Protein backbone atom coordinates (compact mmCIF):
# COMPACT_ATOMS: atom_id res chain seq x y z
CA UNK A 1 0.00 0.00 0.00
CA UNK A 2 1.23 3.48 -0.80
CA UNK A 3 1.61 5.58 2.34
CA UNK A 4 2.35 8.85 0.59
CA UNK A 5 3.51 9.65 -2.90
CA UNK A 6 4.23 13.32 -3.34
CA UNK A 7 2.91 14.84 -6.59
CA UNK A 8 2.24 11.45 -8.15
CA UNK A 9 -1.18 10.26 -9.14
CA UNK A 10 -1.45 6.60 -8.23
CA UNK A 11 -4.96 6.12 -9.63
CA UNK A 12 -4.71 3.84 -12.66
CA UNK A 13 -7.79 5.38 -14.33
CA UNK A 14 -6.13 8.79 -14.42
CA UNK A 15 -2.60 7.49 -15.03
CA UNK A 16 -3.80 5.74 -18.18
CA UNK A 17 -5.38 8.93 -19.51
CA UNK A 18 -8.96 7.73 -19.12
CA UNK A 19 -11.44 10.26 -17.87
CA UNK A 20 -9.41 13.19 -19.23
CA UNK A 21 -11.34 16.27 -20.27
CA UNK A 22 -14.53 15.93 -18.24
CA UNK A 23 -17.86 14.46 -19.26
CA UNK A 24 -21.47 15.47 -19.10
CA UNK A 25 -21.98 13.08 -16.17
CA UNK A 26 -19.08 14.67 -14.32
CA UNK A 27 -20.46 18.18 -14.65
CA UNK A 28 -23.96 17.19 -13.55
CA UNK A 29 -22.80 15.21 -10.48
CA UNK A 30 -19.81 17.30 -9.51
CA UNK A 31 -17.16 14.58 -9.81
CA UNK A 32 -15.91 11.44 -11.47
CA UNK A 33 -17.09 8.02 -10.37
CA UNK A 34 -13.69 6.80 -9.30
CA UNK A 35 -13.25 9.79 -6.97
CA UNK A 36 -15.98 8.76 -4.52
CA UNK A 37 -14.33 5.56 -3.24
CA UNK A 38 -10.94 7.27 -3.20
CA UNK A 39 -12.28 10.22 -1.21
CA UNK A 40 -14.13 7.91 1.20
CA UNK A 41 -10.99 5.83 1.66
CA UNK A 42 -8.90 9.01 1.98
CA UNK A 43 -11.21 10.24 4.73
CA UNK A 44 -11.01 6.86 6.45
CA UNK A 45 -7.23 6.80 6.11
CA UNK A 46 -6.93 10.36 7.45
CA UNK A 47 -8.99 9.49 10.52
CA UNK A 48 -7.10 6.24 11.14
CA UNK A 49 -3.67 7.85 10.69
CA UNK A 50 -4.57 10.67 13.07
CA UNK A 51 -6.02 8.15 15.55
CA UNK A 52 -2.79 6.17 15.57
CA UNK A 53 -0.62 9.27 15.94
CA UNK A 54 -2.66 10.19 19.02
CA UNK A 55 -2.61 6.63 20.36
CA UNK A 56 1.17 6.60 20.02
CA UNK A 57 1.39 9.85 21.98
CA UNK A 58 -0.91 8.40 24.65
CA UNK A 59 1.13 5.27 25.35
CA UNK A 60 0.21 2.92 22.49
CA UNK A 61 2.99 3.43 19.93
CA UNK A 62 2.83 -0.13 18.56
CA UNK A 63 -0.90 -0.16 17.80
CA UNK A 64 -1.75 -0.73 14.14
CA UNK A 65 -5.13 -0.56 12.37
CA UNK A 66 -5.25 -4.35 12.07
CA UNK A 67 -4.87 -4.60 15.85
CA UNK A 68 -7.99 -2.50 16.38
CA UNK A 69 -10.01 -4.70 14.04
CA UNK A 70 -8.68 -7.82 15.79
CA UNK A 71 -9.43 -6.48 19.27
CA UNK A 72 -13.00 -5.73 18.16
CA UNK A 73 -13.22 -9.30 16.84
CA UNK A 74 -12.07 -10.63 20.23
CA UNK A 75 -15.01 -8.86 21.86
CA UNK A 76 -15.87 -8.63 25.53
CA UNK A 77 -16.38 -12.39 25.98
CA UNK A 78 -13.22 -13.52 24.22
CA UNK A 79 -12.84 -15.64 21.11
CA UNK A 80 -10.73 -18.43 19.68
CA UNK A 81 -8.25 -17.75 16.87
CA UNK A 82 -10.65 -19.50 14.48
CA UNK A 83 -13.53 -17.25 15.53
CA UNK A 84 -11.33 -14.17 15.20
CA UNK A 85 -10.30 -15.30 11.71
CA UNK A 86 -13.95 -15.79 10.66
CA UNK A 87 -14.96 -12.39 12.06
CA UNK A 88 -12.08 -10.70 10.23
CA UNK A 89 -12.44 -12.70 7.03
CA UNK A 90 -8.88 -14.03 7.24
CA UNK A 91 -7.37 -17.46 7.72
CA UNK A 92 -6.91 -18.97 11.15
CA UNK A 93 -3.16 -18.69 10.58
CA UNK A 94 -3.36 -14.95 9.78
CA UNK A 95 -5.59 -14.42 12.81
CA UNK A 96 -3.13 -16.43 14.92
CA UNK A 97 -0.24 -14.17 13.85
CA UNK A 98 -2.22 -11.09 14.79
CA UNK A 99 -3.21 -12.64 18.12
CA UNK A 100 0.44 -13.49 18.79
CA UNK A 101 1.33 -9.84 18.16
CA UNK A 102 -1.47 -8.64 20.48
CA UNK A 103 -0.16 -11.03 23.16
CA UNK A 104 3.41 -9.78 22.71
CA UNK A 105 2.27 -6.15 22.99
CA UNK A 106 0.22 -6.87 26.12
CA UNK A 107 -3.18 -6.13 24.54
CA UNK A 108 -4.50 -9.68 24.88
CA UNK A 109 -3.98 -12.91 26.78
CA UNK A 110 -4.90 -16.55 26.23
CA UNK A 111 -6.88 -18.56 28.74
CA UNK A 112 -8.57 -21.94 28.90
CA UNK A 113 -12.19 -21.95 27.78
CA UNK A 114 -14.22 -22.79 30.90
CA UNK A 115 -16.74 -24.72 28.78
CA UNK A 116 -14.23 -26.72 26.70
CA UNK A 117 -10.73 -27.52 27.99
CA UNK A 118 -9.52 -28.19 24.43
CA UNK A 119 -10.11 -24.58 23.40
CA UNK A 120 -8.05 -21.50 24.18
CA UNK A 121 -9.83 -18.17 24.33
CA UNK A 122 -8.19 -14.85 23.62
CA UNK A 123 -9.27 -12.07 26.00
CA UNK A 124 -8.36 -8.42 26.04
CA UNK A 125 -6.16 -7.23 28.89
CA UNK A 126 -6.63 -3.94 30.73
CA UNK A 127 -4.08 -2.49 28.27
CA UNK A 128 -6.27 -3.67 25.37
CA UNK A 129 -9.38 -2.12 26.90
CA UNK A 130 -7.42 1.08 27.51
CA UNK A 131 -6.42 1.26 23.83
CA UNK A 132 -10.04 0.76 22.74
CA UNK A 133 -11.36 3.34 25.22
CA UNK A 134 -8.75 5.86 24.09
CA UNK A 135 -9.62 5.09 20.46
CA UNK A 136 -13.29 5.82 21.11
CA UNK A 137 -12.47 9.13 22.79
CA UNK A 138 -10.06 10.10 20.01
CA UNK A 139 -12.66 9.28 17.35
CA UNK A 140 -15.09 11.57 19.18
CA UNK A 141 -12.45 14.33 19.09
CA UNK A 142 -11.75 13.75 15.39
CA UNK A 143 -15.46 13.84 14.57
CA UNK A 144 -15.73 17.11 16.49
CA UNK A 145 -12.83 18.51 14.47
CA UNK A 146 -14.61 17.58 11.24
CA UNK A 147 -17.79 19.20 12.57
CA UNK A 148 -15.82 22.38 13.27
CA UNK A 149 -14.23 22.35 9.82
CA UNK A 150 -17.33 21.34 7.81
CA UNK A 151 -20.17 22.31 10.11
CA UNK A 152 -22.07 19.98 12.42
CA UNK A 153 -25.06 19.80 10.07
CA UNK A 154 -22.88 18.72 7.13
CA UNK A 155 -21.23 15.98 9.18
CA UNK A 156 -24.62 14.72 10.39
CA UNK A 157 -25.95 14.89 6.80
CA UNK A 158 -22.91 12.97 5.53
CA UNK A 159 -23.40 10.28 8.19
CA UNK A 160 -27.13 10.05 7.42
CA UNK A 161 -26.46 9.84 3.68
CA UNK A 162 -23.91 7.06 4.18
CA UNK A 163 -26.33 5.17 6.45
CA UNK A 164 -28.93 5.33 3.68
CA UNK A 165 -26.65 3.82 1.00
CA UNK A 166 -24.57 1.40 3.09
CA UNK A 167 -26.51 -1.81 3.77
CA UNK A 168 -27.07 -2.21 7.52
CA UNK A 169 -25.52 -5.70 7.55
CA UNK A 170 -22.23 -4.35 6.17
CA UNK A 171 -22.04 -1.04 8.02
CA UNK A 172 -19.93 -2.34 10.88
CA UNK A 173 -18.26 -5.42 9.42
CA UNK A 174 -14.83 -6.20 10.79
CA UNK A 175 -13.55 -8.10 7.77
CA UNK A 176 -12.08 -5.07 6.02
CA UNK A 177 -8.67 -6.60 6.61
CA UNK A 178 -9.56 -9.39 4.17
CA UNK A 179 -9.57 -6.91 1.28
CA UNK A 180 -7.12 -4.35 2.65
CA UNK A 181 -4.51 -7.00 3.43
CA UNK A 182 -4.00 -9.48 6.20
CA UNK A 183 -3.43 -8.11 9.69
Amino acid sequence: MVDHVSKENVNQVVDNGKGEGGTEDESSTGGRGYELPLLLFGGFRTLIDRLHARLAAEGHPDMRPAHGFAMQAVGVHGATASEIGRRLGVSKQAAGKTVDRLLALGYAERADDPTDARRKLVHLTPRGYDALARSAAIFDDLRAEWATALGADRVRDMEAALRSVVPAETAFRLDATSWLGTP
Side-chain angles (χ1 to χ4, degrees), residues 51 55 60 63 71 107 125-138:
L51 165 76
L55 281 173
H60 297 281
M63 278 285 296
M71 290 192 316
Y107 292 114
T125 63
R127 180 167 170 76
Y129 283 113
D130 179 68
L132 290 179
R134 287 176 187 270
S135 295
I138 293 167

Side-chain angles (χ1 to χ4, degrees), residues 7-83:
K7 297 186 181 184
E8 283 188 45
N9 190 339
V10 294
N11 182 289
Q12 296 301 311
V13 173
V14 174
D15 288 347
N16 291 329
K18 297 176 184 173
E20 297 281 333
T23 66
E24 205 172 296
D25 284 342
E26 179 188 333
S27 63
S28 66
T29 62
R32 295 179 177 148
Y34 69 85
E35 288 180 312
L36 178 61
L38 293 174
L39 288 169
L40 288 169
F41 184 72
F44 172 79
R45 179 70 192 256
T46 298
L47 290 169
I48 297 301
D49 287 349
R50 292 190 61 209
L51 165 76
H52 284 275
R54 291 260 314 266
L55 281 173
E58 294 183 19
H60 297 281
D62 296 319
M63 278 285 296
R64 299 292 174 262
H67 300 153
F69 283 107
M71 290 192 316
Q72 292 293 332
V74 169
V76 295
H77 300 295
T80 65
S82 293
E83 291 167 336

